[in-house]
Amino acid sequence: MKRLFSLIFLSFSLSFSYAQVSIKGKVTDAETGDPIPFASVLVLGTGKGMNTDFEGNYELSFSGEADSVRVSYLGYITQTKKIGSSANQTINFQLRPSDFELEAFVFEAGENPAFEIIRRAVDKRKEFDKRSLEAYETKNYTKIEIDIDQVSDRFTQRKTVQKVTAVLDSIRQLTNDEGEKILPVFFSETISKFYYRNNPELKKEIVEKSKVTGVGITDGSTTSQITGSVFQEYNFYKNWLNILDKEFISPIADSWKVFYDYDLLDSVLVGKDSCYRLQVYPRREQDLAFSGTIWINKETYALKQVDLTVPKSANLNFIERIKIQQELEPTSKGPLIPSKSRIQIKIGQVSPNTAGLLAKFYTATDSVILQDPLPTSFFNNAVELRPDFGNAGEDFWKRNRVDPLSSEEIAILQMVDTLKKIPIIRFYSEGLKFFATGFLPVGKVDLGPWTEFGNYNNVEGFRAGFGMRTNYSFSNKWLIQAYLAYGFKDERFKYSAFVTRILDRQHWTTLQFKSTKEIDQVGLEMESLAGNSIFLAASRFGTLRRPFISTTQQLNFQREFFKGFLLKGGLQIAAFDPLFNFYFLEQENRELRSRFETTEARVGLRYGRDEIIIINDNERVSFGPSKWPIFEVNYAKGLQWLGGDIDYHKLSFYLYQRLNMGLFGVSRYEVDAGKVFGEVPYPILKNHLGNETLFYTTAAFNTMNFNEFASDQYVSLRYRHSFEGFLLNRIPLMKKLKWRAVANGNLLFGSVRNENVLNVPSLDPAGNPLESFGRLDPTKPYLELGYGIENIFKFFRVDFFHRMTYLDAPEARPFVVKVSAQIIL
């Protein structure tokens, strides 16, 4: 009987020991709280294991002796946890990032087996690149969260910060698993439709619903245009991926072997597809290249998944980590479209007294429709908002979210709503916006720009001013802006006022009337330097060069007829009253005059094929071209019969393009050409922009003096190149500094016809010598070459310029050094 009881007890013990056990859980990043997809989960002692899905979830069932489960993933510290005694258990893991160091791989004989896999994947790039589709449409859900992290004790001890945390303590303190506080400052959700067509390549996103909450966010319409999927698109079938305006080389680019090493880890089953799992390593740690894991389909050699990180050692400023995770699904025609993407960008502390920043982007594609290409007119606006884009309740979001919000995200929403109402937060956020934009919103008007509040120069002495404009809250059809200034030395009032009527926001059609009375400078006109505000402000401080009173009235019209094609036209009546010793010969009776008036009719065309433009309240904002150049042609006609003193024609052409040179960095060039027909005083000629300041600017010839040369026909080329670490990353002692080499070349051909030379007398009526202008030899170009270093202490740049021609000119500067400060990544 004892033996029978012993046998029964042993049987029950064995059956209990080998009972079926189910465990599930989620694997997340301990610093960010984000899920870690594709992590390896293994039940020790059973051989049972799997990879987490894109949301970091896993679920395993096993029988047998097992007491622990282990989770591991490259770039993270492996973690093991005990398994309890219950049949169904939830075991979550929070992995802490580890410092990733490149390992040396030695292959004793033959080629690295991973190379042949990569070679075949590269050969099939065109077959799987979504850009080969004629047209497609996707429905996307995009979620963005921005947090302040790395909140140090020294930062939290500030009085202003303590006022904030005291309020937040009453809600909930969000921390990462290391106990460090994070402060969420922005959260958005967007439902949109994305449209693409090839030949010509055009893109458009229609934001159907958007919910935006954030510190300093006053108008959701502007922000909603940049929170959709169009700005979070990463295609690894391109050779180069543009991230934060930097070019990163894809692991399956044509030049993969120049930038990467690979290690074939194993073969794994991803869904129903058997895949190669490969480790990716940059050959040089400072290159803008990725490290991490990619999965390639064994049968088709298509990308299945990517989990890639830009290492901290890469030649970037402020960025501690860029992480991109993607799942890709084939369309019915073969090319792949990401079904889910997650991007993390971690910005580190600039100093111990500051905090860091963490931006998280998530996009899920709900549906893909392959269709015939839509007409090019459909793509007029790169981003478009539905009229009711902001009218959606919580029931709508619950139905349309791909995944429900986590408890942490719900807490984040509550904290952001509270943060933006705290007075000290509103004060600092509005202050930063005021400094960045120049305007301070106060109800339905904005005060500014602050650059007009005060100045000092030799003509006006101390100058005080005040300005304001209406904003979107006042009207989405009318924009009114004006400022008034007074010089205490010249005792003159100056002003500028304009009224703009927005006739059509879809095709951006506007009609504007503008009236101005200002002190301007020959060759440094405010209108031509409007896009270079810092240089303009510097040129108007101190000594003014050839100043004059400019009084103008303008009537301007513009309309975008189709995507990128903008037509401009207008009429301008202007008076030139010199404040320096200036005379010219009148066309008809050849009498000396110092003052003249012009009546000018203008028309212009601008075309940017792939330029991304959004509507920022009542203004258009350009994000620049991606690939194609921007063209601009302008024509002006001086009309004597309409009250002007001078009859003339002016024709100009402008071209700008950004060129990705791959391994060698990024180039930018500008071509500017023009011709003035007719006899005119030299202020109407093209007075080429020189630079006598200490500061570097791309808009000027940096070894040329102010007002040194003028032309009535000219062509110039300004070329600049950033090597992005290509040269200095390869010098052992230099690469730790993360300096970057730059180069410049500026070339100018120009001439002046005799009639415009003779138009300028040598003496005024009193017999005093007059200021004139320099002329270029039509057979001899003006040339300057430059080189320099940027990213010195992350902020500073030094350029050295050599003037190669016209060295015998009076006051010529054969060599100059220019400095500048910039914030670049």
Side-chain angles (χ1 to χ4, degrees):
M1 183 65 68
K2 287 184 179 180
R3 289 181 179 178
L4 180 60
F5 278 113
S6 298
L7 185 60
I8 294 172
F9 177 77
L10 180 61
S11 299
F12 273 105
S13 299
L14 289 172
S15 62
F16 179 79
S17 300
Y18 292 94
Q20 191 77 10
V21 177
S22 294
I23 59 173
K24 64 179 181 179
K26 189 167 189 173
V27 181
T28 57
D29 186 306
E31 286 190 354
T32 67
D34 287 332
I36 301 178
F38 325 134
S40 175
V41 183
L42 179 65
V43 180
L44 298 181
T46 66
K48 287 280 188 178
M50 65 172 296
N51 291 331
T52 56
D53 63 16
F54 198 79
E55 305 307 323
N57 298 311
Y58 76 92
E59 188 169 355
L60 282 168
S61 297
F62 61 93
S63 58
E65 293 185 0
D67 62 355
S68 58
V69 58
R70 183 176 66 195
V71 175
S72 60
Y73 195 63
L74 181 75
Y76 291 88
I77 299 172
T78 299
Q79 192 176 49
T80 303
K81 287 190 175 183
K82 291 288 185 181
I83 298 175
S85 57
S86 60
N88 297 292
Q89 303 174 46
T90 298
I91 305 176
N92 296 321
F93 289 82
Q94 297 82 35
L95 302 187
R96 295 184 180 182
S98 63
D99 291 331
F100 175 74
E101 296 182 0
L102 298 181
E103 302 178 17
F105 291 90
V106 179
F107 299 95
E108 296 182 356
E111 185 185 50
N112 181 345
F115 285 3
E116 179 59 25
I117 299 171
I118 296 296
R119 191 176 292 116
R120 293 192 181 189
V122 171
D123 289 341
K124 293 200 170 188
R125 280 178 53 208
K126 289 185 178 179
E127 184 178 336
F128 297 113
D129 189 347
K130 63 182 179 180
R131 294 175 297 170
S132 63
L133 294 169
E134 288 187 5
Y136 65 84
E137 170 194 338
T138 62
K139 183 179 179 181
N140 301 324
Y141 167 78
T142 305
K143 181 170 55 180
I144 300 176
E145 177 188 335
I146 300 177
D147 306 317
I148 295 176
D149 74 339
Q150 293 178 302
V151 184
S152 63
D153 291 337
R154 294 177 67 179
F155 182 79
T156 56
Q157 287 171 3
R158 295 181 179 182
K159 290 183 179 180
T160 53
V161 178
Q162 287 178 347
K163 292 179 181 179
V164 175
T165 55
V167 176
L168 296 181
D169 283 339
S170 63
I171 307 172
R172 174 183 174 184
Q173 279 292 348
L174 290 177
T175 63
N176 59 28
D177 286 85
E178 295 176 346
E180 297 176 352
K181 297 177 182 178
I182 63 171
L183 298 176
V185 293
F186 180 89
F187 193 87
S188 72
E189 295 179 276
T190 304
I191 302 288
S192 64
K193 286 187 177 179
F194 177 80
Y195 299 86
Y196 173 88
R197 70 160 289 168
N198 202 344
N199 193 27
E201 186 177 20
L202 297 171
K203 302 173 185 177
K204 179 172 183 173
E205 181 173 32
I206 297 179
V207 175
E208 297 189 329
K209 296 294 180 183
S210 178
K211 184 171 70 172
V212 176
T213 181
V215 174
I217 304 299
T218 56
D219 175 54
S221 65
T222 301
T223 310
S224 294
Q225 293 179 76
I226 59 175
T227 56
S229 60
V230 70
F231 291 94
Q232 282 82 50
E233 188 183 28
Y234 302 96
N235 182 3
F236 285 93
Y237 278 95
K238 292 181 177 180
N239 280 324
W240 296 85
L241 285 78
N242 188 285
I243 307 173
L244 300 174
D245 208 29
K246 292 288 185 181
E247 300 289 340
F248 294 79
I249 185 72
S250 169
I252 56 170
D254 290 331
S255 54
W256 58 273
K257 208 167 185 178
V258 177
F259 291 92
Y260 286 104
D261 260 328
Y262 306 83
D263 184 30
L264 176 59
L265 299 180
D266 55 17
S267 296
V268 295
L269 194 64
V270 180
K272 297 180 180 179
D273 299 320
S274 181
C275 298
Y276 295 111
R277 180 168 170 248
L278 292 93
Q279 208 67 53
V280 178
Y281 307 90
R283 284 185 176 270
R284 291 167 296 274
E285 61 181 8
Q286 288 195 317
D287 282 350
L288 298 186
F290 299 96
S291 64
T293 310
I294 61 175
W295 289 258
I296 295 177
N297 190 300
K298 273 189 172 183
E299 183 179 346
T300 64
Y301 290 92
L303 278 179
K304 181 65 178 177
Q305 297 176 160
V306 301
D307 188 357
L308 297 171
T309 302
V310 177
K312 187 177 180 179
S313 57
N315 194 338
L316 289 170
N317 291 328
F318 315 116
I319 303 295
E320 288 193 356
R321 181 174 61 187
I322 299 175
K323 190 177 184 65
I324 301 176
Q325 299 164 325
Q326 265 189 2
E327 278 187 347
L328 297 103
E329 296 292 339
T331 60
S332 58
K333 292 186 178 180
L336 308 175
I337 289 181
S339 58
K340 292 182 180 180
S341 299
R342 184 181 289 109
I343 299 94
Q344 297 176 13
I345 299 175
K346 186 176 177 64
I347 300 175
Q349 295 170 283
V350 178
S351 70
N353 295 326
T354 60
L357 199 67
L358 179 65
K360 298 186 281 188
F361 309 85
Y362 173 79
T363 298
T365 299
D366 193 27
S367 63
V368 179
I369 300 174
L370 304 184
Q371 57 189 7
D372 293 331
L374 294 169
T376 56
S377 59
F378 174 79
F379 296 89
N380 236 30
N381 296 326
V383 182
E384 183 180 315
L385 301 176
R386 292 292 191 203
D388 60 343
F389 76 96
N391 300 327
E394 186 56 31
D395 290 339
F396 169 86
W397 291 105
K398 285 181 179 179
R399 294 193 308 269
N400 287 274
R401 287 186 184 112
V402 178
D403 302 295
L405 295 181
S406 64
S407 58
E408 289 81 6
E409 289 171 330
I410 294 172
I412 283 168
L413 277 170
Q414 186 181 8
M415 291 183 73
V416 173
D417 282 334
T418 303
L419 267 173
K420 65 184 184 182
K421 297 174 184 176
I422 299 175
I424 191 67
I425 291 289
R426 294 181 62 184
F427 174 79
Y428 277 104
S429 62
E430 294 300 324
L432 288 173
K433 287 169 63 177
F434 178 50
F435 178 78
T437 65
F439 289 90
L440 177 67
V442 180
K444 295 183 178 182
V445 298
D446 301 338
L447 305 182
W450 59 263
T451 53
E452 292 294 337
F453 289 172
N455 198 351
Y456 181 86
N457 58 66
N458 64 317
V459 175
E460 298 174 284
F462 174 71
R463 169 183 168 130
F466 180 78
M468 61 190 301
R469 70 181 182 187
T470 61
N471 55 38
Y472 192 82
S473 299
F474 174 83
S475 174
N476 65 348
K477 294 181 178 180
W478 291 94
L479 173 62
I480 304 170
Q481 183 171 340
Y483 73 80
L484 180 68
Y486 180 77
F488 287 88
K489 181 178 180 181
D490 67 347
E491 298 181 341
R492 288 191 181 97
F493 280 99
K494 296 90 182 175
Y495 64 85
S496 177
F498 66 81
V499 178
T500 304
R501 175 71 163 95
I502 302 173
L503 302 172
D504 183 357
R505 299 180 74 91
Q506 177 72 21
H507 288 276
W508 197 248
T509 307
T510 65
L511 184 65
Q512 179 190 80
F513 174 75
K514 183 176 182 179
S515 180
T516 303
K517 184 175 183 179
E518 256 295 4
I519 289 186
D520 223 330
Q521 303 173 81
V522 176
L524 291 164
E525 287 83 1
M526 298 171 64
E527 185 177 9
S528 61
L529 291 178
N532 200 326
S533 57
I534 295 177
F535 185 74
L536 174 61
S539 69
R540 296 180 61 79
F541 184 86
T543 301
L544 301 185
R545 284 86 175 173
R546 302 190 181 184
F548 64 94
I549 298 293
S550 173
T551 306
T552 64
Q553 283 77 42
Q554 294 181 2
L555 183 64
N556 301 312
F557 172 83
Q558 65 176 348
R559 178 176 175 83
E560 186 178 44
F561 282 91
F562 55 87
K563 180 176 171 56
F565 187 85
L566 186 70
L567 172 67
K568 300 180 292 182
L571 184 70
Q572 173 182 281
I573 299 173
F576 179 94
D577 292 293
L579 299 177
F580 66 102
N581 197 11
F582 165 80
Y583 285 89
F584 72 100
L585 290 171
E586 196 176 29
Q587 288 179 348
E588 295 179 358
N589 54 26
R590 311 309 290 172
E591 292 182 355
L592 287 178
R593 291 183 56 181
S594 62
R595 181 185 185 276
F596 62 85
E597 295 183 0
T598 60
T599 300
E600 194 174 271
R602 301 175 174 182
V603 64
L605 298 174
R606 188 178 191 276
Y607 180 60
R609 177 174 173 175
D610 61 354
E611 187 178 17
I612 296 178
I613 292 176
I614 68 167
I615 307 302
N616 177 21
D617 294 345
N618 291 328
E619 297 178 325
R620 297 173 91 239
V621 177
S622 172
F623 284 81
S626 302
K627 176 182 177 182
W628 297 94
I630 292 177
F631 301 89
E632 192 166 342
V633 179
N634 291 288
Y635 170 76
K637 175 71 171 75
L639 304 170
Q640 279 186 312
W641 62 270
L642 207 56
D645 295 326
I646 307 164
D647 207 358
Y648 59 89
H649 305 262
K650 293 174 73 173
L651 181 65
S652 65
F653 170 81
Y654 175 79
L655 170 67
Y656 166 80
Q657 188 173 16
R658 182 182 188 273
L659 299 172
N660 173 28
M661 307 298 287
L663 174 65
F664 302 102
V666 177
S667 288
R668 296 171 177 85
Y669 72 88
E670 297 173 82
V671 176
D672 191 11
K675 186 177 179 67
V676 179
F677 302 87
E679 182 184 339
V680 296
Y682 72 79
I684 296 179
L685 300 179
K686 176 68 173 182
N687 288 268
H688 303 292
L689 183 60
N691 181 11
E692 296 181 28
T693 71
L694 178 64
F695 305 105
Y696 166 72
T697 176
T698 61
F701 293 90
N702 286 277
T703 59
M704 186 184 292
N705 297 320
F706 290 125
N707 302 116
E708 185 174 359
F709 295 107
S711 302
D712 58 24
Q713 50 188 353
Y714 62 93
V715 59
S716 68
L717 170 66
R718 293 198 298 273
Y719 180 87
R720 56 190 186 273
H721 183 82
S722 176
F723 288 94
E724 297 287 357
F726 166 67
L727 297 175
L728 301 184
N729 278 358
R730 288 153 177 79
I731 303 175
L733 296 179
M734 297 287 289
K735 65 182 182 180
K736 291 184 179 180
L737 297 173
K738 293 190 176 182
W739 288 1
R740 303 167 192 167
V742 293
N744 290 271
N746 297 322
L747 179 70
L748 169 65
F749 283 92
S751 64
V752 182
R753 297 189 309 278
N754 285 335
E755 59 189 276
N756 287 324
V757 175
L758 298 175
N759 181 271
V760 182
S762 58
L763 300 175
D764 66 11
N768 299 314
L770 290 172
E771 293 187 45
S772 185
F773 61 92
R775 291 174 289 155
L776 293 163
D777 184 339
T779 64
K780 181 181 178 181
Y782 184 92
L783 175 64
E784 64 181 21
L785 299 175
Y787 51 88
I789 301 293
E790 65 179 358
N791 209 39
I792 301 172
F793 301 118
K794 296 184 179 181
F795 293 102
F796 301 104
R797 169 174 174 156
V798 179
D799 284 87
F800 307 92
F801 282 92
H802 295 269
R803 179 165 171 161
M804 309 303 294
T805 57
Y806 295 91
L807 297 174
D808 56 348
E811 300 181 358
R813 296 174 297 149
F815 176 74
V816 298
V817 179
K818 301 291 183 180
V819 298
S820 58
Q822 55 188 4
I823 299 176
I824 57 175
L825 296 181

